Amino acid sequence: MSYSSSLLVLSAVTLATGQLLAPLPETFLNSSATWAWLSYDKLQFGTLPGAFNRSILDAPAAAEASDAGLTEVNAKLNSSDFVAYDERFFDIIGPNAKVEHVQQLDIRSHEAPCLVPGTDLLFFVEWGPREEGYGQHGWQYLLDVRKNVLQTVTTSPPTFNVHGCVTFNNSLYVVTDGSLNETGYLARIDPSNWKRTTLLNNYYEQPFGGFNDLAMDNEGNFYLTDSKSGWGKGVVPYTPPTSPATYFVNGTTMRPKMIQSTTGNANGVALSPDGRTLYLPNTGVSKYYPVRKDPYDDRGLWAYDFVSSKDGARLPVLANKRLLNNPITYFYDGIRVTHDGLIFASAGDGVDVIDPDTGLALGSIRVGGGRNVAVSLALGTYEFWIVGRGGVWHVSGLTHTLN
């Protein structure tokens, strides 16, 4: 193994794994899942021995290390289902939680997971560049999460290149990149008969570049992220007409208003439980033509507050932009918020749980590393599902109520 001169050399002393990873709480010692606790508070992780380095696109477990003890730590991290960075993570997950890879699918991007209301079905899609032979199909997946049976479903009319999904009043609401002959749109799908109704496909006759994800508030208004990912991955042939942006769409009139724009890229979107804060991860780190990652571009999770009118009503105007979190690994894609405000964000080889006040990552739920990538997730009550490159994962037995 070679190390560049830019590697930080701190010590020639080899430390044992037990000195770099904190001991697990007693109730977690016999957990059926594999745990690790990486803590700056407890032990000596603030000053690592030897030479070490990793890319921002890799998890800490993938770091190169000259010290035998640190190499052992990384092996432990890489074999773990759950990695705690904060003591609170143990209370959220609990000792009975487990991670199961329930559907091993091709190493392709799977997106837009939604639990179909009133059923045990998980809706999700297979998405990707047309030159690789997938993404351009008129069906979506349905997974029976109790029987672990996978099937496909086709809407009427067929829906292509769904990129995000939420549920509201027993319907699925999806956004798409569009397809080879149509630009991106927002649609409602009735899961009782799989009829699709297009709700919005333009901004005053300007096409959208290609929607990536969406959120809805309690009043039925929409928050749509319009990105360059569909064009950049070759899913659609037309150049985005404007910079990536976030749109507020009135759920009654369907009147759209741009509320945020970026020179990076728009991706996931989520609201705080009180509807007063909007969370937007920027994925400008992803570049196109050629497809590559630029570690110096934006990959932060940003928080915005809504401006209030004189009578206290929330306006579709954002203020107080602030960097809430920069991912430990990779960049944040799909994000969801629990009933009490915890942020679950898909990030490379797992899902980070983030404190909405401090922005600290409390821990990670891993999908196994390697070529597997967590892309998005759907929250249940004491369980949730992750979809991404490599298929579907079920995380169950949590202590904390999610919804």
Side-chain angles (χ1 to χ4, degrees):
M1 183 185 298
S2 62
Y3 298 87
S4 70
S5 59
S6 65
L7 292 178
L8 180 61
V9 180
L10 295 175
S11 170
V13 178
T14 297
L15 295 179
T17 305
Q19 294 176 274
L20 290 173
L21 291 178
L24 297 175
E26 186 175 351
T27 54
F28 287 78
L29 295 177
N30 296 319
S31 172
S32 60
T34 307
W35 280 80
W37 187 0
L38 193 163
S39 173
Y40 278 87
D41 301 330
K42 296 291 183 182
L43 296 171
Q44 302 180 43
F45 208 83
T47 53
L48 297 178
F52 52 90
N53 193 24
R54 71 172 174 94
S55 162
I56 63 160
L57 302 174
D58 293 325
E64 295 180 330
S66 64
D67 181 82
L70 187 52
T71 299
E72 188 178 346
V73 164
N74 290 339
K76 171 65 175 175
L77 293 174
N78 197 43
S79 66
S80 295
D81 300 308
F82 301 98
V83 178
Y85 308 124
D86 190 288
E87 200 163 5
R88 288 172 290 173
F89 190 62
F90 294 105
D91 293 328
I92 296 167
I93 303 299
N96 299 318
K98 59 182 178 180
V99 182
E100 298 174 280
H101 195 174
V102 293
Q103 287 289 325
Q104 296 191 22
L105 304 174
D106 289 338
I107 301 297
R108 299 170 179 172
S109 289
H110 297 89
E111 278 266 23
C114 270
L115 288 167
V116 180
T119 76
D120 289 328
L121 298 175
L122 179 72
F123 172 98
F124 68 101
V125 306
E126 183 177 278
W127 178 90
R130 62 180 184 271
E131 63 268 17
E132 294 185 19
Y134 61 97
Q136 294 288 339
H137 52 71
W139 48 262
Q140 288 78 40
Y141 283 119
L142 282 178
L143 174 65
D144 187 317
V145 298
R146 302 307 168 203
K147 299 177 181 178
N148 197 25
V149 174
L150 190 67
Q151 61 177 305
T152 60
V153 64
T154 301
T155 65
S156 177
T159 307
F160 289 81
N161 300 316
V162 171
H163 215 143
C165 176
V166 296
T167 60
F168 188 79
N169 285 349
N170 297 318
S171 293
L172 305 183
Y173 289 85
V174 300
V175 287
T176 82
D177 292 292
S179 63
L180 298 180
N181 55 14
E182 61 183 344
T183 55
Y185 55 86
L186 164 68
R188 180 178 62 244
I189 297 174
D190 183 346
S192 69
N193 54 23
W194 296 104
K195 289 189 179 297
R196 185 257 288 178
T197 303
T198 300
L199 302 177
L200 180 72
N201 68 359
N202 75 95
Y203 180 76
Y204 297 95
E205 298 188 43
Q206 171 194 295
F208 295 103
F211 288 123
N212 192 294
D213 212 341
L214 77 162
M216 294 182 70
D217 61 28
N218 292 333
E219 298 173 356
N221 301 311
F222 300 91
Y223 305 82
L224 315 178
T225 54
D226 191 32
S227 81
K228 54 189 175 186
S229 300
W231 162 78
K233 289 291 183 70
V235 175
V236 292
Y238 27 84
T239 303
T242 188
S243 296
T246 304
Y247 291 86
F248 167 85
V249 180
N250 184 292
T252 302
T253 66
M254 301 310 297
R255 182 179 182 178
K257 177 184 183 292
M258 185 187 290
I259 56 175
Q260 181 262 359
S261 183
T262 177
T263 56
N265 199 20
N267 207 302
V269 56
L271 285 162
S272 61
D274 62 6
R276 295 287 175 177
T277 304
L278 189 71
Y279 302 113
L280 294 171
N282 194 320
T283 54
V285 63
S286 289
K287 303 296 182 183
Y288 303 108
Y289 300 130
V291 175
R292 65 196 189 281
K293 301 293 189 294
D294 180 357
Y296 299 106
D297 213 318
D298 196 348
R299 61 190 187 97
L301 175 61
W302 295 86
Y304 300 77
D305 294 329
F306 285 94
V307 174
S308 296
S309 63
K310 291 181 180 179
D311 61 2
R314 186 187 60 188
L315 300 175
V317 177
L318 298 180
N320 192 24
K321 176 184 178 181
R322 56 205 183 274
L323 179 64
L324 185 67
N325 176 288
N326 209 53
I328 295 171
T329 301
Y330 208 63
F331 53 82
Y332 291 139
D333 199 319
I335 59 174
R336 297 289 183 262
V337 176
T338 66
H339 73 96
D340 56 351
L342 291 172
I343 302 167
F344 280 58
S346 301
D349 79 337
V351 170
D352 285 355
V353 178
I354 301 164
D355 183 304
D357 297 320
T358 65
L360 290 170
L362 305 180
S364 294
I365 301 104
R366 301 184 67 253
V367 295
R371 298 181 67 194
N372 293 332
V373 174
V375 175
S376 194
L377 65 154
L379 300 180
T381 304
Y382 294 102
E383 60 188 338
F384 67 96
W385 288 263
I386 305 168
V387 302
R389 294 180 195 166
V392 183
W393 291 261
H394 181 210
V395 185
S396 61
L398 273 66
T399 300
H400 193 80
T401 304
L402 304 181
N403 276 334

